[in-house]
Amino acid sequence: MSISLGRILPIVVIDSADDAEPLAEALLAGGIRQVEVTLRTPAAIEAARRMARHDDLVVGVGTALTTDDVSRAADAGARFIVSPGLIEPVVERTLALGLASIPGIATATELARASAFGLDLLKVFPAEQLGGVAMIAALAAVFPEVRFMPSGGIGPTNAGAYLSHPAVTAIGGSWMAPREAIKARDFLSIADLCTAAGELLR
Ligand SMILES: O=C(O)C(=O)C[C@H](O)[C@H](O)COP(=O)(O)O
């Protein structure tokens, strides 16, 4: 199943589920309509559940490492599942539940294995450390049908370079909603960072 995501995906780490609601409001205020909630904290699933109550916010779950992670995310209302690498049972469970699967790839071999599932969008992680836009351009030349969503080391200074590559349909990153800003409940700054990120698309 494919999904229509915007071009900029905030990747968030939420320490308290009570921050989920104001965070969703801040993202929407900043013009962002999609978010990846990483399963890196005990509060993540409940936070995803609360954010998914917003009809106008497409909520996905990231750092999905096991089939159980996928099932819990689906139950919480996640519409897409992201993993840092290609974990085939995670992809299979995600597709079986009718959700969009966006596994991470870091090599041509992993890309080929992910493509065998018929996936139309693959995460490249950790993008900047792997070689950035040049690495994606090299892969895109060999696999012209694949679309990429890089994340890892992307921020305001290099986001534009990724977005300008035709094979990159979206980029992900934590810079729009830093964990410390969420913890500090600095939702005004988060809304401003999201607005600034949106301006990269102009
Ligand atoms: O674990 C996952 O599934 C992830 O989504 C990892 C994220 O892509 C990075 O943590 C984002 O990296 P930064 O923007 O450099 O903070």
Side-chain angles (χ1 to χ4, degrees):
M1 148 116 23
S2 61
I3 192 163
S4 176
L5 285 179
R7 299 206 71 204
I8 300 185
L9 178 69
I11 298 171
V12 299
V13 180
I14 303 178
D15 289 281
S16 165
D18 288 339
D19 296 336
E21 176 65 21
L23 177 59
E25 300 283 356
L27 297 176
L28 290 165
I32 293 282
R33 298 275 176 275
Q34 55 283 327
V35 64
E36 174 189 327
V37 181
T38 59
L39 289 184
R40 299 199 214 148
T41 58
I45 286 288
E46 177 58 19
R49 188 183 309 281
R50 294 189 193 183
M51 295 179 92
R53 287 186 194 136
H54 278 269
D55 289 339
D56 38 4
L57 190 65
V58 178
V59 176
V61 159
T63 329
L65 303 177
T66 67
T67 54
D68 187 55
D69 288 343
V70 178
S71 296
R72 291 187 303 132
D75 180 67
R79 308 251 306 270
F80 62 96
I81 302 291
V82 185
S83 300
L86 176 63
I87 307 161
E88 268 111 346
V90 165
V91 175
E92 285 159 5
R93 175 69 63 89
T94 301
L95 297 177
L97 291 172
L99 305 181
S101 174
I102 312 176
I105 62 103
T107 65
T109 303
E110 291 162 9
L111 187 160
R113 279 169 48 197
S115 293
F117 287 97
L119 306 176
D120 53 10
L121 179 64
L122 300 176
K123 172 177 168 128
V124 178
F125 177 78
E128 196 63 10
Q129 293 83 348
L130 286 169
V133 183
M135 187 263 194
I136 291 172
L139 287 174
V142 184
F143 299 96
E145 71 289 355
V146 175
R147 293 294 168 263
F148 298 97
M149 183 179 77
S151 69
I154 301 180
T157 56
N158 58 3
Y162 283 95
L163 287 165
S164 62
H165 192 283
V168 174
T169 55
I171 58 171
S174 61
W175 87 91
M176 290 150 279
R179 181 176 188 169
E180 290 313 314
I182 299 170
K183 258 179 140 162
R185 300 181 70 82
D186 188 1
F187 298 112
L188 282 177
S189 294
I190 291 171
D192 286 348
L193 286 165
C194 290
T195 302
E199 278 160 13
L200 294 168
L201 301 176
R202 296 229 177 108

